[in-house]
Amino acid sequence: MVHMDTPISRLPGIGDKKAAAFGKLGIFTYGDMISYFPRKYDDRSVMTPIAMAIPEDTCCVQAMVTTTPKLSRIRQGMELVKFRIADDSGVMDITYFNQPYVKNQLVLGETYNFYGKVSASGSRKTMSNPVFEKAEHPRVTGRIIPVYRSTALLSQKVLINAAEQCLEGCGHLVSDFLPPEVSQRNNLCQAQYAYHNIHFPENMMALDIARRRLVFEELFVLACAIRTMHGSKTPVDGLRLNSCNLNDFYATLPFTPTGAQKRAMEAALNDMTSGLNMNRLVQGDVGSGKTLVAAGCIWAAAQSGKVSVMMAPTEILAEQHLHTMQKFLEPCGLRIGLLKGSMTAKEKRTVKAQLAAGEFDLMVGTHAVLTDDVEIPNLALVVVDEQHRFGVEQRAALARKGEKPHVLVMSATPIPRTLALIIYGDLDVSIIDELPPGRQPIDTLLINESYRQRLNGFIRKQVEDGRQVFVICPKVEEDEEKGTSSELKSAEEHAKYLQEVFPDLTVGCVHGRLKEKQKDAVMSAFVRGEINILVATTVVEVGVDIPNANLMIIENADRFGLSQLHQLRGRIGRGQYKSWCVLVSDSRNELSRERLKIMVKTSDGFAISEEDLRLRGPGDFFGNRQHGLPETHIADLGADMNVLLTAQEEANAIMDEDPDLTAYPALRKKVQSMIEKAGSTFN
Ligand code: ADP
Ligand code: MG
């Protein structure tokens, strides 16, 4: 007797070598094989009459062998078996190259199914090397055949056989772990039917029905997993702030907030005065003015005599926030402190003492704010910048410091709206989809190496006008393994090159291998205008605001993700100067060029993220992001988004009643295993 956990090596003909190859595909057991879904299908279900077979098409014909197969040797030792077949409608020539044995397998007068590509020489139709089998026992013709993702060591035939045998052995053991009412409500077919038909569909409709069930199943488990990770969205009690009038705050500002900024601030104020805990994500494109939204919330907390904390991922950003907050909030009388890792012990002690004594309304800081000896009485609000650099634990650690403070997360990573709903399942989302007025659009150009001289001239011109230049490179230093053959610009090498081209200018270089202090020193010098050209890796991706920088050059631009390019580009165009982003790429890869052209065409971060998702698929889209979703096997998170939303609703309905899924042990097991697999990539 076999069962789901029976090792795949139990199948006849699967020795150690093949078993290892199966293992490479993640298939160790019968159950794994059953859950190893085909990548696509070959529809061999339709028998085409020879007369209807169209040259260049691949098709299946059922025909009789009408001449004795003849073996001949042609040039360079090539062996050729040739014969003719016929059905009621016409005749066709069949040839096999270098397969002399077929001569004895095909018998004159017998009928076979042939599957292959038709070609035409003159008026005669030919098939070369078609798959064939006896017409009365069709296995790989006359039906829809699965095509599996495979390795060189495993042929499709072996995989098809394995799938067939595993289904035969334990297809009836496939468990239907969906709650019955969920299956019913969504018109899903039986699990066994689905698993059979996903491998060997009876017809295209059966395949659709099977796929629909399996996609739903997978996304339902995903939705349950997300819900388990995030907890329910059911509101918990929170600190109730006194209501206040945001117009009083707006009146102190040097400009009028945009409609989107106002909506976000009002939504947050509603949250914080509701008596429930706020967990809000403010998502907005770079430069959309998220900081002001934070300021409004901090102001509102201060109106109730409460303290806020604002955290940034780096010291330089913390300082920037300090200055911005001073600008926005000091006119309203708020007192602001700064705490960062590089301060001396004495400085820190002073700040902490002041904080404990209630001398600040706002504490801006880096991770230093998180250390346990920082006491924050009256903490009401925590603002976290650039969420994807902060882990769940850090957020939780902060939340522990106060009596359940409200949390406002700001993220500049525009992700498609629907995905945001999933990823930030536990957060309410405000989207800032309006840029402050008067912003100069950034012109983006795509060039190749042949423009290098002109590009250098352009750099010179900008610097002579008093501006500063960012140059982004994909790597830190010359690849040692590949030696000089690597054409990727490394930050250090390229900085040297630019220093040679511009001996009279100051060229700085900053990258991830530098110590935090060194990095900050270089960045600060750039902020102060002491560096003309800053060569950097993507460390500048996160929120640095340098209004005087108006030119960004991105070397080997094809090496970056679209969303990343967009983030990078957001570093310029922040001042009153006309700004340019120059993408340098010699790539001739069509997909790369298409992606880069999107950057030239639009500056809308959401449009870009949607294109990115479309072009690269969710796997890659999330691949280099920390808020990755687990990999899906059959569902396509881009195309099956609506199913995901339905699955999420259903998961919520079930888990509102039964949060631990105690009534559904099989489902519970699936959910647990997805969470384990997703591990830390889950946010
Ligand atoms: P981001 O969303 O990228 O964090 P910031 O908050 O840094 O954007 O804002 C970018 C710039 O726009 C800042 O210099 C800020 O002072 C300015 N700004 C924000 N809101 C407005 C507004 N409503 N009108 C004009 N300028 C604004
Ligand atoms: Mg910002």
Side-chain angles (χ1 to χ4, degrees), residues 287 290-291 317 320-321 385-386 410 412 543 571 574:
K290 294 180 292 292
T291 324
L317 277 174
Q320 194 173 293
H321 280 325
D385 192 12
E386 303 297 352
M410 298 190 291
R571 300 300 120 230
R574 299 185 147 235

Side-chain angles (χ1 to χ4, degrees), residues 311 339-341 348 352 355 366-376 394 397-398 400-401:
M311 298 234 306
L339 188 63
K340 50 175 192 168
K348 282 184 199 160
K352 284 180 207 166
L355 187 56
T366 53
H367 299 250
V369 183
L370 280 177
T371 54
D372 275 329
D373 63 341
V374 180
E375 200 193 317
I376 313 173
Q394 288 164 309
L398 251 181
R400 278 197 300 275
K401 290 198 175 297

Side-chain angles (χ1 to χ4, degrees), residues 60-108:
C60 226
V61 301
Q62 190 167 72
M64 189 199 279
V65 177
T66 57
T67 64
T68 307
K70 276 213 185 79
L71 176 64
S72 55
R73 293 200 164 70
I74 50 171
R75 68 206 136 78
Q76 289 158 3
M78 204 192 265
E79 294 176 309
L80 186 71
V81 175
K82 218 174 161 170
F83 56 96
R84 183 163 295 173
I85 59 171
D87 66 5
D88 292 344
S89 73
V91 297
M92 188 182 258
D93 284 343
I94 303 284
T95 50
Y96 286 93
F97 294 95
N98 286 341
Q99 298 176 49
Y101 47 86
V102 301
K103 173 177 171 293
N104 301 321
Q105 293 175 345
L106 287 145
V107 180
L108 178 68

Side-chain angles (χ1 to χ4, degrees), residues 132-247:
F132 71 92
E133 60 187 351
K134 280 231 172 89
E136 58 263 40
H137 304 299
R139 279 172 42 80
V140 293
T141 57
R143 61 173 177 170
I144 301 168
I145 297 296
V147 179
Y148 296 93
R149 198 163 280 110
S150 185
T151 69
L153 292 170
L154 286 180
S155 68
Q156 286 298 326
K157 204 163 144 198
V158 171
L159 278 161
I160 289 173
N161 275 335
E164 209 156 40
Q165 290 176 58
C166 290
L167 278 167
E168 213 163 277
C170 49
H172 61 288
L173 299 176
V174 164
S175 80
D176 196 336
F177 58 80
L178 287 181
E181 65 268 35
V182 171
S183 292
Q184 252 165 37
R185 269 199 294 266
N186 295 282
N187 287 318
L188 302 177
C189 67
Q190 304 269 322
Q192 285 181 24
Y193 178 90
Y195 279 88
H196 269 282
N197 278 282
I198 202 71
H199 290 282
F200 303 105
E202 279 162 29
N203 50 47
M204 282 304 182
M205 195 159 87
L207 176 59
D208 271 355
I209 293 171
R211 186 175 182 277
R212 210 169 76 76
R213 146 118 204 171
L214 294 170
V215 167
F216 189 96
E217 198 176 283
E218 179 166 52
L219 295 180
F220 184 74
V221 173
L222 173 60
C224 290
I226 289 171
R227 159 86 180 236
T228 305
M229 299 291 295
H230 287 324
S232 82
K233 210 171 169 175
T234 330
V236 291
D237 288 346
L239 191 85
R240 187 193 294 274
L241 293 189
N242 304 332
S243 61
C244 52
N245 190 347
L246 281 168
N247 287 322

Side-chain angles (χ1 to χ4, degrees), residues 255-258 261 284-292 324 327-328 412 436-437 439 545 574:
F255 46 68
T256 315
T258 63
Q261 284 172 322
D285 223 334
V286 276
S288 60
K290 294 180 292 292
T291 324
L292 178 68
T324 315
K327 199 173 71 186
F328 286 145
R439 192 67 44 94
D545 200 357
R574 299 185 147 235

Side-chain angles (χ1 to χ4, degrees), residues 38 52 96 184 250 257 278 339 361 374 389 437 456 464 491 522:
M52 309 276 278
Y96 286 93
Q184 252 165 37
Y250 303 158
M278 173 171 81
L339 188 63
D361 303 295
V374 180
R389 307 277 158 145
N456 287 342
E464 273 171 5
V522 179

Side-chain angles (χ1 to χ4, degrees), residues 616-666:
R616 289 200 297 167
D620 284 342
F621 186 84
F622 289 111
N624 52 8
R625 290 275 162 209
Q626 285 169 37
H627 47 38
L629 289 169
E631 197 187 339
T632 53
H633 296 291
I634 186 163
D636 171 346
L637 283 176
D640 295 321
M641 188 48 71
N642 286 332
V643 183
L644 180 48
L645 294 178
T646 313
Q648 197 169 35
E649 266 168 40
E650 291 286 6
N652 284 336
I654 296 288
M655 292 178 78
D656 282 346
E657 296 294 315
D658 183 358
D660 297 324
L661 297 171
T662 35
Y664 310 98

